[in-house]
Amino acid sequence: MLGAAVPPRALLDAVRRLGPGAVMLWSQSPHTTDPELVRQVVRTAWGARGSRNRALVLVTGPGWRRSDHPEGIAGPLTLLSALDLLEQAVTG
């Protein structure tokens, strides 16, 4: 888990090094969303795990609107649905 205000390069480096099964990006308000960063995280996460085993990428929090993130990226509206998606990613 990384905290608030992590520089994008540090986030991408961590994703590349760790190859996580899931990456969840939180945005508290619309001015902190970054759709381009989401696309970079997807490219990095999917490249780190290979095309056959893609990491789940989620955008969550009240700042995100469905139009703010690339199509095909999970955008759960509740904590319970986010946890369900994360559990599915871990258990396969």
Side-chain angles (χ1 to χ4, degrees), residues 3-4 11 19 29 37 41 47-50 52-53 73 92:
L11 171 63
S29 66
L37 179 58
V41 167
R49 293 181 58 89
R52 297 186 70 213
N53 194 8
I73 300 304

Side-chain angles (χ1 to χ4, degrees), residues 7-62:
R9 176 56 41 207
L11 171 63
L12 295 171
D13 287 347
V15 170
R16 186 176 299 107
R17 279 192 317 271
L18 298 172
V23 178
M24 186 166 70
L25 300 170
W26 175 272
S27 178
Q28 186 63 33
S29 66
H31 75 273
T32 62
T33 62
D34 188 345
E36 179 53 33
L37 179 58
V38 175
R39 286 186 279 278
Q40 291 176 358
V41 167
V42 167
R43 285 191 299 269
T44 302
W46 290 0
R49 293 181 58 89
S51 61
R52 297 186 70 213
N53 194 8
R54 292 183 171 183
L56 171 66
V57 178
L58 303 146
V59 292
T60 60

